[in-house]
C-alpha cells in the first residue's frame, strides 16, 4: 500500500453512486444515433454497436451497490430518454427513493445544443451537475459490480479520496503509442478508424492538473469523486467544459473529468493511494470457458477482489453469458 497519509476512521459526508447506462438495442435510440452520426457509425471505433450494448448488467451493478454498500444514499442512473427494465420492479417499493433515473437533459441544462450525445466523455463531464448530488459520489460504468462488502472509508476519508492504481510515465508511453499508430498507418491498417484510447485521455487529464511527465493510471473500479472538485475546476475553466461536452462521439481531444478530478486531488495532497482491494476484469467474448471458470474461482477465494468489470458481454455467446449470469446470481443476486 502506498499511503500519502494515514487513513481516517469514519466518513465526513454523504455519498451517492452514479452509473452511466445506455441500451443501444433500443430501436429509437439506434435511429437517433444513426441520424446524428451518419458515416461515423462505420468509421469511428467509439460508434461500434458493442459500445452501446446492454445485456442487463446494470441490474447487477445496482443490486451489488445495495447489497455491499448499503451506506450509499442515492443511486443515480444517467440515461438518454431510457429506463432499464428492472425499474418497473422498483416502482412503488422502498427502493424507489434510493434508485432514480437522471436524464441527459437534466445534466446538460444550458448546454442542450450538444444533445443528443453518444460520447461517454461528454456525459462524464456533466455528472457533477446532477441535481441534489451528494458531496461525494462513486462513478461506475454499468458493467462494474461490487463483489464484497465495502465501507465509505474504502473510497473517502476526512482528508479527501482513496484511489486505486499506479503512476505511469507519460512521455515515453505517448511516444510509443504514436509510433504504433504510425506503423499501422504505414501498413495500411486502421487509418480510417479513430481510436481515442483511454490511456491517452488519462495523460491529457493529468496534464491539465499540472502533471507533465507522468499520470495516475486507474483500473476498472468504482471511482470516488468529490463533487466540489469538479464544480470548482469547471467554474474556473468554463471554456474547457464547453469544448469537452461538444463532441457527439468519444474523441482523442477529450479529457476524462473523473480522472482529472483524481489528479487535482493528488496535486492538492487530498488523495490517498490504497491498492489492497483489487478488481477482476472479465472478457467473456474472448476468454474460453476454462479461463473464465478459473478466474471466477480465484475471485471467490480472494477476499481482496472486491470489484468486477464484465466487458462486452453482449458479444459473448449464449453459453458464456449463462456462465457469467449464473456467477452474478450466486454472488450478487437480482433485485426483487
Amino acid at each position: 500500500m502506498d499511503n500519502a497519509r494515514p487513513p481516517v476512521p469514519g466518513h465526513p459526508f454523504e455519498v451517492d453512486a452514479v452509473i452511466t447506462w445506455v441500451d443501444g438495442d433500443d430501436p429509437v435510440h439506434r435511429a437517433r444515433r444513426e441520424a446524428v452520426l451518419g458515416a461515423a457509425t462505420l468509421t469511428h471505433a467509439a460508434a461500434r454497436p458493442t459500445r452501446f450494448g446492454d445485456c442487463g448488467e446494470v441490474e447487477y451493478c445496482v443490486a451489488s451497490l445495495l447489497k455491499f454498500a448499503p451506506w450509499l444514499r442515492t443511486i443515480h442512473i444517467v440515461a438518454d430518454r431510457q429506463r432499464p427494465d428492472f425499474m418497473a420492479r422498483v416502482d412503488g417499493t422502498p427502493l424507489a427513493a434510493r434508485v432514480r433515473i437522471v436524464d441527459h437533459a437534466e445534466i446538460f441544462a444550458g448546454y442542450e445544443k450538444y444533445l443528443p450525445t453518444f460520447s461517454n466523455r461528454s456525459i462524464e463531464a456533466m455528472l457533477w451537475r446532477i441535481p441534489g448530488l451528494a458531496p461525494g459520489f462513486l462513478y461506475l460504468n454499468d458493467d462494474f459490480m461490487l463483489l464484497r462488502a465495502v465501507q465509505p472509508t474504502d473510497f473517502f476519508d476526512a482528508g479527501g479520496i482513496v484511489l486505486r492504481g499506479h503512476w505511469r510515465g507519460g512521455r515515453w508511453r505517448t511516444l510509443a503509442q504514436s509510433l504504433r499508430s504510425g506503423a499501422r498507418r504505414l501498413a495500411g491498417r486502421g487509418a480510417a478508424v479513430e481510436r481515442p484510447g483511454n490511456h491517452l485521455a488519462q495523460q491529457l487529464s493529468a496534464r491539465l492538473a499540472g502533471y507533465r511527465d507522468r499520470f495516475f493510471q486507474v483500473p476498472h473500479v468504482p471511482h470516488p469523486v468529490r463533487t466540489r472538485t469538479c464544480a470548482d475546476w469547471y467554474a474556473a475553466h468554463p471554456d474547457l467544459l464547453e469544448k469537452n461536452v461538444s463532441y457527439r462521439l468519444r474523441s482523442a481531444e477529450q479529457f476524462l473529468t473523473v480522472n482529472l478530478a483524481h489528479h487535482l486531488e493528488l496535486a492538492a495532497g487530498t488523495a490517498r493511494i490504497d491498492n489492497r482491494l483489487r478488481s477482476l476484469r472479465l472478457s467473456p467474448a474472448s476468454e474460453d470457458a476454462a479461463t473464465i471458470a478459473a478466474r471466477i474461482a480465484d475471485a471467490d477465494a480472494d477476499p481482496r477482489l472486491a470489484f468486477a468489470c464484465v466487458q462486452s458481454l453482449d458479444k459473448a455467446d449464449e453459453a458464456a453469458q449463462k456462465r457469467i449470469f449464473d456467477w452474478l446470481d450466486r454472488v450478487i443476486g437480482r433485485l426483487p
Side-chain angles (χ1 to χ4, degrees):
M1 183 176 68
D2 177 8
N3 284 329
R5 47 192 166 69
V8 178
H11 75 295
F13 45 73
E14 291 184 307
V15 179
D16 286 350
V18 176
I19 304 165
T20 50
W21 171 79
V22 62
D23 177 7
D25 294 327
D26 173 8
V28 175
H29 186 274
R30 187 188 308 120
R32 292 174 69 221
R33 189 167 74 239
E34 292 174 353
V36 170
L37 302 180
T41 59
L42 300 176
T43 61
H44 199 298
R48 289 173 177 166
T50 191
R51 286 284 172 191
F52 309 97
D54 174 55
C55 284
E57 305 97 319
V58 68
E59 180 176 351
Y60 291 101
C61 177
V62 172
S64 76
L65 293 171
L66 292 168
K67 179 176 182 177
F68 295 124
W71 42 267
L72 288 167
R73 189 190 66 169
T74 305
I75 299 172
H76 307 271
I77 302 173
V78 178
D80 180 15
R81 305 184 190 179
Q82 294 182 314
R83 201 167 184 263
D85 290 341
F86 75 83
M87 287 297 293
R89 286 181 275 126
V90 170
D91 291 342
T93 74
L95 287 181
R98 297 192 60 200
V99 184
R100 64 179 297 260
I101 304 298
V102 179
D103 193 79
H104 288 183
E106 292 184 62
I107 58 176
F108 276 79
Y111 298 84
E112 292 89 352
K113 64 183 178 181
Y114 299 121
L115 292 177
T117 185
F118 308 98
S119 168
N120 62 317
R121 296 178 184 177
S122 299
I123 298 163
E124 181 185 316
M126 293 301 212
L127 297 180
W128 59 275
R129 303 177 88 235
I130 292 174
L133 187 63
F137 67 92
L138 298 182
Y139 169 53
L140 307 92
N141 294 126
D142 59 4
D143 56 3
F144 287 17
M145 297 94 182
L146 302 182
L147 300 179
R148 286 175 171 75
V150 292
Q151 302 302 319
T153 48
D154 291 321
F155 305 97
F156 298 93
D157 61 27
I161 63 175
V162 181
L163 295 177
R164 286 156 190 92
H166 300 278
W167 286 103
R168 297 284 187 249
R171 181 180 299 173
W172 296 112
R173 181 181 288 268
T174 300
L175 177 60
Q177 289 171 330
S178 297
L179 291 173
R180 284 196 294 269
S181 297
R184 281 198 301 269
R185 286 193 295 271
L186 289 173
R189 299 194 303 271
V193 179
E194 184 183 356
R195 300 179 185 274
N198 190 57
H199 289 170
L200 285 175
Q202 291 188 38
Q203 292 174 49
L204 177 57
S205 306
R207 285 197 292 272
L208 289 172
Y211 292 96
R212 308 301 302 176
D213 298 324
R214 63 175 182 157
F215 71 101
F216 189 74
Q217 182 179 330
V218 295
H220 291 270
V221 295
H223 304 299
V225 184
R226 292 199 295 180
T227 306
R228 179 52 57 188
T229 301
C230 299
D232 288 348
W233 193 85
Y234 275 129
H237 303 87
D239 54 326
L240 293 181
L241 175 62
E242 184 100 20
K243 179 182 178 183
N244 218 37
V245 303
S246 66
Y247 295 90
R248 303 282 186 175
L249 269 177
R250 191 180 64 171
S251 168
E253 300 297 316
Q254 289 180 289
F255 57 90
L256 305 173
T257 297
V258 167
N259 196 250
L260 168 63
H262 291 169
H263 283 90
L264 291 171
E265 301 275 17
L266 287 162
T270 51
R272 176 169 56 85
I273 302 169
D274 187 338
N275 286 308
R276 286 175 295 183
L277 296 182
R278 297 168 48 218
S279 180
L280 172 68
R281 183 176 175 184
L282 291 173
S283 300
S286 58
E287 296 172 331
D288 60 35
T291 299
I292 292 174
R295 300 189 70 202
I296 286 175
D298 288 343
D300 288 341
D302 188 349
R304 298 171 300 168
L305 273 167
F307 319 112
C309 174
V310 183
Q311 294 190 307
S312 301
L313 186 56
D314 61 298
K315 295 173 65 177
D317 61 33
E318 186 174 342
Q321 289 187 15
K322 184 178 185 306
R323 282 191 291 272
I324 296 297
F325 286 132
D326 285 348
W327 173 58
L328 295 176
D329 283 336
R330 173 171 58 82
V331 175
I332 299 170
R334 293 179 179 268
L335 293 171

